[in-house]
């Protein structure tokens, strides 16, 4: 049964009542019901008498079907995830990376940590800023139905579009028929009403049919609106598609997905009483187990598949005091770091009451800045990840309304933000997207903060998960309502760990679009932060800039640090003024919002920058393949830095 | 949460070595939650609901690997059955369209039916397999089907002599 419309977040703080949210849906309802009623009352009777009574019946049926789908799309829970409970987030915030990588059908997909909902967003899930919820298989937030479109109600939304198109054609066609037969009596009330209805129908036909066609293509290709407009699968590899027919069948004919909100935690009905049975464990097993734990920690970090192993494996915590320069870079050291921490899960103690504030405020000099930056992460519709090639795989794209569904012009930032960041790694043409770059940089800065220092290194996602991340998860968590301020983030001295983007000149070195190896994505994340400061600096051969100060709260990445675009931002941070606002779907390519204070450059036309940023990707299958120590840069920073080439020619450095 | 130890005074009243009903009650209340293990989703086949069968190391000393894997595989089978696109789901879809979705008020969808089966299965597994080993499985639906949560309980001992420490640690939890 349809769920009630939720104004606030799922089990979160109720958002204030915003009447402006209801304007588009009210208008849509008024037009639909009003125009159809007029049509049925004024036009149809004559037509039924003149031709056939089935005309009225047919129109009524189509209208009812349209209305039913409209109601389902409006009132049905799109697949909202309830907030995760604290015990699910048992990792220390300081250790947990912003991203976790999983492999979907051989393609690396990143799952982003949602600090609002407190879990890693499943693939294709995204957080809607309007509704303040993570939605499964998020398509967009449609203002015309004032609801997110996600897994559970996409079918109804699609059928609504289809039936509405047919309905509009019917209304227009039959009204035209009426008018043709009443050309001599156009002064009658009926004729006037019919003409008015015809105009309304004709007016709405173009956008509705366009949107319908767009979604037909999306369904055929097995993509969501979110994925389409952010250009995630531009290279053509969509791991979620099952072929055109199966996609259609899945959309139309799969069983109604369950509601998550309705299933609250129940206390266990089964009692647990000691003494407990224990499985037999031989001495050899014990010895192997102990040894295995240590080995596994290091090995698992080398395995991409291990990236799927999860919170159950406690990530060894890097000490916050470990700083960048002093950071061990070799695998041996990393392994030792890994084994430093309590490696055996049995040592992990359950912490029922997670006191995040204390941890989060482990002071770092930049914590405040980071908080501010991370507050962006919290605005659910942060587009940060959208533009960046590696983020394309990130399912946690900001919420967007359907391309045609957008009510206002707010969506622009989303698209521009991410795409700007991508340019940093594009290896080509990124300077020209300063505008978007700045926008996205600011946005991506914050989001990348969580992962920025996690430095997915060559050893794989597991390390990055646990060992190299800094407190970004906590910082991200704490700044849900923080104000957005990007200035601090954009100055290189304050963006630690970002060396200048001495990108090599690998042409067409695309930061992969969509699904990249964690290796690449990590360095892109780091680079993206630097992308903020230096959107206008194309020179790929800048010397490395060591961060002048490293925030103590950040655990340094154990291995490669992404090189980022080097220079300080030319101007103040782009005004992501709308970043914190709830936005409906803006479309990744629709740069409708331009920060006034952006560092320059002109907004790129709609989809061109996407193509520029996301040249044909090279999908890397394993991290191991990417670990190639190419010294692509002539410049060798003091202190010894190993350069490693990632996918697409982007490089990053491992500090020695 | 498991039944936490009761008050210290309650326990101090009970002698350690007596094989008495009171001791059994003491035992009954001496399991406490030590840890939670989360079995994550396995996304290798896309967004279908499937959980990783990889045996978590935390459970190494608590339950046999095969039992655990059987449970997870069974759950995966159930979810696959729920999400299967076949005859019944087609009929459901057509019926829903024809009745303008009013049919959802009357019948239970395939997925809901399977979810109930899963719930019963988990209950049965808890009773038969997991609770005797000091573990409890939480239905994934309560976690948005993102994780299978396994609560690990520790036998905190039943003695009055240890009541002091238990009290301290229990209050610390």
């Amino acid at each position: 049964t349809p769920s009630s419309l939720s104004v606030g977040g799922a089990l979160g703080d109720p958002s204030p009542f915003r009447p402006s949210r209801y304007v588009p849906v009210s208008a849509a309802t008024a037009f639909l019901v009003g125009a159809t009623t007029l049509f049925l009352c004024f036009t149809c009777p004559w037509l039924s008498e003149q031709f056939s009574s089935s005309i009225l019946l047919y129109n009524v049926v189509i209208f009812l079907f349209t209305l039913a789908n409209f109601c389902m799309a409006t009132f049905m829970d799109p697949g909202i995830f309830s907030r995760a409970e604290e015990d699910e987030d048992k990792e220390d915030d300081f250790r947990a990376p912003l991203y976790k990588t999983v492999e979907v059908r051989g393609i690396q997909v990143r799952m982003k940590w949602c600090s609002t909902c407190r879990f890693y967003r499943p693939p294709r899930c995204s957080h809607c800023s309007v509704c303040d919820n993570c939605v499964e298989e998020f398509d967009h937030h449609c203002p015309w139905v004032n609801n997110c479109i996600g897994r559970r109600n996409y079918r109804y939304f699609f059928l609504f579009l289809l039936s509405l198109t047919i309905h509009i054609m019917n209304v227009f066609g039959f009204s035209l028929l009426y008018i043709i037969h009443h050309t001599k009596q156009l002064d009658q009330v009926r004729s006037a009403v019919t003409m008015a209805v015809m105009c309304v129908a004709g007016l709405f036909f173009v956008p509705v049919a366009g949107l319908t066609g767009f979604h037909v293509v999306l369904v055929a290709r097995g993509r969501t609106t979110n994925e389409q407009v952010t250009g995630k699968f531009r290279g053509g590899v969509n791991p979620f598609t099952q072929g055109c027919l199966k996609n259609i069948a899945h959309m139309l004919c799969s069983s109604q997905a369950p509601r998550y909100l309705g299933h609250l935690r129940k206390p266990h009905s089964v009692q647990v009483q000691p003494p407990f049975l224990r499985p037999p464990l031989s001495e050899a097993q014990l010895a192997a187990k102990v040894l295995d734990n240590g080995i596994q920690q290091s090995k698992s970090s080398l395995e991409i598949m291990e990236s799927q192993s999860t919170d159950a494996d406690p990530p060894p915590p890097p000490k916050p005091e470990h700083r960048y320069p002093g950071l061990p870079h070799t695998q041996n050291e990393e392994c030792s770091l890994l084994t430093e921490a309590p490696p055996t899960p049995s040592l992990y103690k359950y912490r029922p009451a997670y006191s995040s504030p204390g941890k989060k405020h482990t002071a770092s000099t930049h914590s405040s800045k980071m908080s501010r930056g991370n507050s962006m992460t919290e605005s659910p519709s942060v587009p940060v990840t959208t533009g960046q090639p590696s983020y394309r795989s990130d399912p946690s794209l900001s919420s967007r309304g359907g391309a045609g569904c957008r009510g206002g012009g707010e969506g622009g930032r989303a698209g521009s933000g991410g795409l700007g960041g991508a340019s940093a790694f594009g290896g080509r043409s990124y300077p020209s997207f300063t505008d978007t770059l700045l926008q996205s940089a600011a946005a991506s800065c914050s989001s990348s903060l969580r992962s920025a220092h996690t430095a997915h290194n060559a050893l794989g996602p597991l390390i990055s998960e646990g060992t190299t991340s800094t407190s970004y998860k906590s910082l991200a968590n704490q700044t849900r309502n923080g104000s957005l301020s990007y200035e601090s983030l954009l100055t290189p001295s304050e963006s630690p760990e970002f060396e200048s983007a001495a990108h090599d000149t690998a042409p067409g070195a695309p930061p992969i679009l969509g699904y990249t190896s964690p290796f690449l994505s990590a360095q892109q994340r780091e680079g993206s932060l630097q992308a903020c400061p230096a959107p206008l600096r194309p020179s790929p051969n800048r010397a490395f800039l060591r961060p002048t100060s490293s925030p103590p709260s950040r655990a340094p990445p154990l291995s490669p640090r992404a090189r980022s675009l080097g220079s300080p931002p030319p101007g103040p941070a782009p005004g992501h003024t709308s970043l914190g606002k709830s936005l409906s779907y803006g479309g990744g390519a629709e740069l409708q919002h331009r920060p006034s204070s952006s560092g320059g450059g002109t907004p790129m036309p709609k989809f061109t920058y996407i193509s520029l940023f996301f040249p044909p990707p090279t999908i890397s299958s394993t991290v191991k393949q990417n670990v190639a120590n190419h010294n692509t840069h002539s410049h060798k920073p003091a202190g010894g830095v190993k350069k490693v080439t990632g996918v697409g020619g982007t490089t990053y450095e491992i500090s020695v | 949460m498991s039944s936490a130890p009761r008050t210290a005074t309650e326990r101090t009243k009970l002698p350690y070595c007596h094989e008495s009903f009171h001791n059994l009650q003491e035992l009954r209340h001496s399991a406490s939650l030590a840890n939670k293990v989360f079995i994550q989703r396995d996304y290798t086949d896309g967004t279908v609901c499937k959980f990783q069968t990889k045996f978590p190391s935390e459970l190494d000393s608590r339950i046999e690997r095969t039992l655990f894997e059987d449970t997870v595989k069974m759950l995966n089978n159930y979810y696959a059955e729920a999400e299967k696109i076949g005859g019944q789901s087609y009929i459901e879809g057509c019926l829903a369209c024809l009745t303008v979705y009013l049919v959802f008020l009357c019948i239970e969808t395939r997925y809901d039916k399977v979810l109930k089966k899963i719930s019963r299965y988990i209950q049965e597994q808890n009773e038969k397999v997991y609770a005797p080993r000091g573990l409890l499985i939480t239905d994934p639906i309560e976690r948005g089907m993102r994780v299978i949560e396994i609560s690990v309980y520790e036998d905190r001992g039943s003695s009055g002599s240890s009541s002091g420490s238990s009290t301290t640690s229990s209050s610390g939890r």
Side-chain angles (χ1 to χ4, degrees), chain A residues 197-222:
Chain A
V197 165
M198 222 173 95
C199 288
V200 167
L203 195 67
F204 280 104
F205 178 73
V206 173
V208 170
L211 189 61
T212 306
F214 176 67
H215 277 274
V216 166
V217 170
L218 284 186
V219 169
R221 298 170 103 177

Side-chain angles (χ1 to χ4, degrees), chain B residues 17-62:
Chain B
C17 296
H18 289 252
E19 294 293 333
S20 65
F21 174 70
H22 291 145
N23 206 16
L24 282 176
Q25 281 201 320
E26 171 76 7
L27 286 171
R28 186 168 298 138
H29 298 308
S30 64
S32 64
L33 186 62
N35 193 4
K36 284 197 183 187
V37 179
F38 294 98
I39 312 299
Q40 299 285 333
R41 283 271 294 269
D42 177 8
Y43 292 110
T44 48
D45 290 330
T47 49
V48 292
C49 185
K50 202 174 154 197
F51 289 93
Q52 293 180 8
T53 51
K54 173 174 164 286
F55 188 67
S57 40
E58 294 92 337
L59 298 181
D60 206 5
S61 60
R62 301 303 300 259

Side-chain angles (χ1 to χ4, degrees), chain B residues 50-107:
Chain B
K50 202 174 154 197
F51 289 93
Q52 293 180 8
T53 51
K54 173 174 164 286
F55 188 67
S57 40
E58 294 92 337
L59 298 181
D60 206 5
S61 60
R62 301 303 300 259
I63 188 169
E64 287 84 349
R65 187 179 289 254
T66 49
L67 287 173
F68 169 82
E69 282 174 1
D70 286 344
T71 306
V72 178
K73 281 181 186 156
M74 194 64 181
L75 286 176
N76 287 342
N77 288 342
Y78 275 125
Y79 286 118
E81 181 196 332
E83 296 186 355
K84 195 165 71 105
I85 302 174
Q88 189 184 351
S89 56
Y90 285 129
I91 293 171
E92 262 179 22
C94 291
L95 205 59
C97 276
L98 290 175
T99 63
V100 187
Y101 308 118
L102 295 171
V103 71
F104 287 139
L105 297 169
C106 311
I107 69 164

Side-chain angles (χ1 to χ4, degrees), chain A residues 497-509:
Chain A
E497 318 185 28
F498 295 127
E499 326 215 309
S500 66
H503 279 281
D504 59 71
T505 53

Side-chain angles (χ1 to χ4, degrees), chain A residues 218-285:
Chain A
L218 284 186
V219 169
R221 298 170 103 177
R223 302 181 183 186
T224 64
T225 307
N226 199 329
E227 291 159 350
Q228 174 67 34
V229 297
T230 55
K232 263 186 174 176
F233 309 126
R234 206 128 180 120
V237 189
N238 178 359
F240 302 112
T241 182
Q242 299 159 304
C244 181
L245 284 178
K246 278 198 174 170
N247 293 337
I248 296 171
H250 175 75
M251 190 268 296
L252 282 180
C253 306
S254 59
S255 187
Q256 179 64 52
R259 286 188 68 203
Y260 298 135
L261 287 187
H263 293 261
L264 297 177
R265 267 187 82 81
K266 298 188 296 256
H268 285 293
S269 55
V270 181
Q271 284 291 327
V272 168
Q273 293 179 27
F276 300 139
L277 299 175
R278 300 271 171 164
L281 202 60
S282 68
E283 271 309 309
Q285 270 180 297

